[in-house]
Amino acid sequence: MWRLVGKGSRTMTCFHLAQSLFLASASASASHSSYTFISKPFHSFNNHLPQLSSVFLHPIANSATFAFCSKPGSELRTVSPKSMSNPDSISYLTQRQAAEIDETLMGPLGFSVDQLMELAGLSVAAAIAEVYKLSEHNRVLAICGPGNNGGDGLVAARHLHHFGYKPVICYPKRTPKPLYDGLVTQLESLSVPFISVEDLPLDLSEDFDIIVDAMFGFSYHGSPRPPFDGLVQMLVSLRNYDGTRQKTPAIVSVDIPSGWHVEEGDIGGEGIKPDMLVSLTAPKLCAKQFSGPHHFLGGRFVPPLIAEKYKLHLPSYSGTSMCVRIGKPPKIDVSALRENYISPEFLEEDVESDPINQFRKWFEEAVGAGLKEPNAMALSTAGKNGKVSSRMVLLKGFDENGFVWFTNYESRKAHELSENPHASLLFYWDGLNRQVRVEGSVQKVSEEESEQYFHSRPRGSQIGAIVSKQSTVVPGRNVLYELHKDLEEKYSDGSVIPKPKYWGGYRLKPELFEFWQGQKSRLHDRLSYSPEETNGGRVWKIERLAP
């Protein structure tokens, strides 16, 4: 994927931003705030590129493409996600164009060899982790060539190790330069094993779940020489088996499947057939022949100067994602989707006697695990007609008196609760293989409690509660924007925003709890709490339910 550009330099095909930009954008995304982080203006890269000297990129929205900007508001040429589902709408580079882009990146744009290699390897590791679950594909063989493509494979292996995978490196022709020596030292310090070609098993499928093909990039010419010709044939043979194997390793090629012509692709149709191709910067022409299920792009740094010159149409990266899928995901057999949960045992003798205390324990663990919005819960209600409706709301408080959330008293759920004041809550914490179901009666909280919470919210959210006549039909989003803008101006002096009478809280008083924890072979733990009278008092009865 790389080529040499002068002494000690390399070409770039990776993804992502310079470190300072990435940290700023990650901070903006992680905080979920409305703030924009703006870096200081760049000094000119050199006297020949004054148009690039004005501004470093400012991250804008989570779905925005991050890039170097020549002026405020300029952005990378992108195509809508809908059109990106068609791979033919994406730009593909010739070998000459790829080399020219690398020369520009490594020259006036100031990228360093180790920086680009680090970003490239990280993009490959991120793409692998997105598709191949650690629980099912943790044994990785990275076959690394003597050039920069091999360096990308070494970096990818290091990141995969930190992700929890178990990489093994085959690096038969080591590059005698400090950069590569350093990568080898880093891997050895992590006890990542290196294996010679002679010690590789004859059948790679017995020892590995993923094979990273990082042998040759787009600048390689001619046929592979020993020992890489034999290694390429080993990967080819994985797709030419007699059907007796239960499973073959997934092949992931970095930028170019090794042995392919950079423009004409798999000449003769007898080359490697990778399951995943991670194109870098932009796909090369040979990628049009890729027929595997997973094609990803990394290269989230392309400046407008390059995007405009080569008329690049590339997909947008979402949030802080390190890679983006090209084309539609493969067709999925929904009936075959399953997860074999691995969790600690959830036993009766270990649980709290009071379900509120047990919920608090699990909730604090969900927060401590860094799960996104652990207070999100599915609220199910039904009116007098018995038809059930569900939606996600946010828990805003809980104690021995129940679970509290806030909403519009004229919404659908509010109308249903007025007819049938009973509801069910469901919390799902995927990262911990847990869910909690709570059922009970519902009543409004006091006006004082609603007032107190309303004025604790950000002013924008307070105005949003006034603007939204929840569940009613609106002619368009612009109507909401205009109303919100008018109220922002009205209360721009910082005066108190009055809580609308149609907005407030509900409290569900629990009558039944169920705590669920996923286990192997679908033998999940399910413990229910239900109230019963004992010796004139009310206690909670704990029972195990069949999964």
Side-chain angles (χ1 to χ4, degrees), residues 362-374:
W362 271 21
F363 184 80
E364 290 174 351
E365 290 176 359
V367 173
L371 303 186
K372 183 179 180 181
E373 291 193 318

Side-chain angles (χ1 to χ4, degrees), residues 175-486:
T175 303
K177 292 183 178 180
L179 172 59
Y180 299 88
D181 291 341
L183 293 175
V184 170
T185 300
Q186 293 164 19
L187 289 162
E188 289 177 339
S189 71
L190 297 171
S191 298
V192 174
F194 284 73
I195 187 171
S196 67
V197 174
E198 294 74 21
D199 290 333
L200 284 173
L202 294 177
D203 185 357
L204 296 177
S205 63
E206 294 182 356
D207 295 82
F208 303 106
D209 307 307
I210 301 170
I211 299 176
V212 178
D213 161 30
M215 287 181 274
F216 301 113
F218 71 79
S219 62
Y220 187 81
H221 296 278
S223 300
R225 295 184 292 271
F228 296 102
D229 54 351
L231 290 168
V232 168
Q233 286 306 308
M234 289 183 75
L235 300 191
V236 171
S237 67
L238 288 173
R239 295 295 176 265
N240 298 328
Y241 63 95
D242 59 9
T244 59
R245 297 174 184 162
Q246 293 294 317
K247 181 180 178 182
T248 58
I251 300 175
V252 178
S253 288
V254 178
D255 203 36
I256 301 289
S258 293
W260 282 28
H261 189 281
V262 67
E263 295 176 359
E264 299 177 23
D266 182 16
I267 300 174
E270 298 178 353
I272 296 173
K273 302 293 190 296
D275 303 271
M276 174 186 285
L277 174 62
V278 184
S279 293
L280 297 160
T281 301
K284 314 310 177 287
L285 276 176
C286 67
K288 287 190 174 184
Q289 287 192 21
F290 175 70
S291 59
H294 308 292
H295 188 185
F296 280 80
L297 174 67
R300 194 177 183 167
F301 61 89
V302 180
L305 176 75
I306 290 177
E308 289 299 324
K309 179 178 179 180
Y310 295 95
K311 307 301 180 186
L312 296 183
H313 290 255
L314 302 174
S316 297
Y317 292 81
S318 175
T320 58
S321 294
M322 312 298 282
C323 55
V324 59
R325 182 182 286 275
I326 295 176
K328 296 180 179 179
K331 291 184 177 180
I332 297 175
D333 178 4
V334 177
S335 66
L337 293 177
R338 57 180 51 86
E339 181 77 21
N340 194 27
Y341 300 103
I342 300 175
S343 309
E345 291 182 330
F346 185 51
L347 304 176
E348 291 84 339
E349 56 265 29
D350 298 328
V351 302
E352 301 288 338
S353 59
D354 188 317
I356 291 292
N357 292 335
Q358 182 61 42
F359 179 85
R360 180 177 290 106
K361 179 179 178 180
W362 271 21
F363 184 80
E364 290 174 351
E365 290 176 359
V367 173
L371 303 186
K372 183 179 180 181
E373 291 193 318
N375 59 328
M377 58 186 186
L379 167 65
S380 297
T381 57
K384 60 183 178 182
N385 60 8
K387 294 182 178 180
V388 180
S389 65
S390 300
R391 76 287 294 159
M392 299 301 295
V393 299
L394 295 177
L395 177 70
K396 289 301 177 181
F398 69 93
D399 56 23
E400 63 278 2
N401 295 316
F403 295 76
V404 176
W405 69 94
F406 294 85
T407 188
N408 189 301
Y409 285 152
E410 297 177 357
S411 62
R412 176 180 176 180
K413 56 184 170 293
H415 284 299
E416 291 177 346
L417 287 171
S418 68
E419 296 176 354
N420 176 14
H422 298 273
S424 174
L425 307 176
L426 176 63
F427 297 84
Y428 178 58
W429 298 312
D430 176 62
L432 298 175
N433 301 332
R434 290 172 175 173
Q435 57 180 310
V436 180
R437 186 160 56 92
V438 188
E439 298 176 6
S441 59
V442 179
Q443 61 184 19
K444 291 181 180 179
V445 304
S446 67
E447 185 68 10
E448 292 75 18
E449 189 172 349
S450 293
E451 282 277 359
Q452 182 180 8
Y453 175 71
F454 181 82
H455 292 297
S456 73
R457 307 174 85 203
R459 289 178 68 84
S461 298
Q462 295 180 41
I463 291 174
I466 300 174
V467 168
S468 176
K469 305 300 188 289
Q470 199 173 98
S471 301
T472 62
V473 177
V474 293
R477 187 170 182 81
N478 61 304
V479 175
L480 298 176
Y481 276 132
E482 290 301 321
L483 289 173
H484 197 280
K485 182 179 178 181
D486 291 343

